[in-house]
Amino acid sequence: MEKRDTEPQSPIVSGDRPRYAAESSQSKYKCGDEIYLDKPGSRSLAGPYLISSVPSKGKYVLCLENGDKVEGGTEFDESNLQKK
């Protein structure tokens, strides 16, 4: 299980009912962004690649300019990507 560095959210009181602010559902990158891949254990960045799709928050499928998927369509974690 992933450890979070943040403290639990405090409720926002609006009117008579407390509620919690929704976590951002926005991903850091969007389709078409040009990025570099930092593979664990590698000393250099691979790429540039394009973001082909964003299957879920923080996960990306990469492709080459010609549309070919990188590593057969493997999903890469946001922490391994860097913007050009």
Side-chain angles (χ1 to χ4, degrees):
M1 181 183 252
E2 183 178 320
K3 183 180 177 183
R4 292 186 176 219
D5 294 314
T6 59
E7 294 181 23
Q9 278 186 318
S10 297
I12 298 170
V13 178
S14 174
D16 296 334
R17 299 179 62 185
R19 62 181 175 81
Y20 290 89
E23 287 189 36
S24 174
S25 60
Q26 298 266 335
S27 292
K28 186 175 181 178
Y29 305 111
K30 64 184 185 311
C31 290
D33 282 353
E34 191 171 290
I35 56 86
Y36 288 86
L37 176 61
D38 183 9
K39 288 187 177 184
S42 177
R43 292 184 176 193
S44 62
L45 298 173
Y49 299 117
L50 299 174
I51 302 291
S52 174
S53 64
V54 185
S56 61
K57 184 179 177 189
K59 299 289 183 183
Y60 302 86
V61 175
L62 308 179
C63 68
L64 302 172
E65 280 190 1
N66 67 5
D68 290 346
K69 301 274 196 268
V70 175
E71 294 186 16
T74 298
E75 292 182 11
F76 294 96
D77 192 75
E78 189 171 89
S79 64
N80 296 111
L81 305 178
Q82 294 182 23
K83 189 108 176 184
K84 179 178 178 185

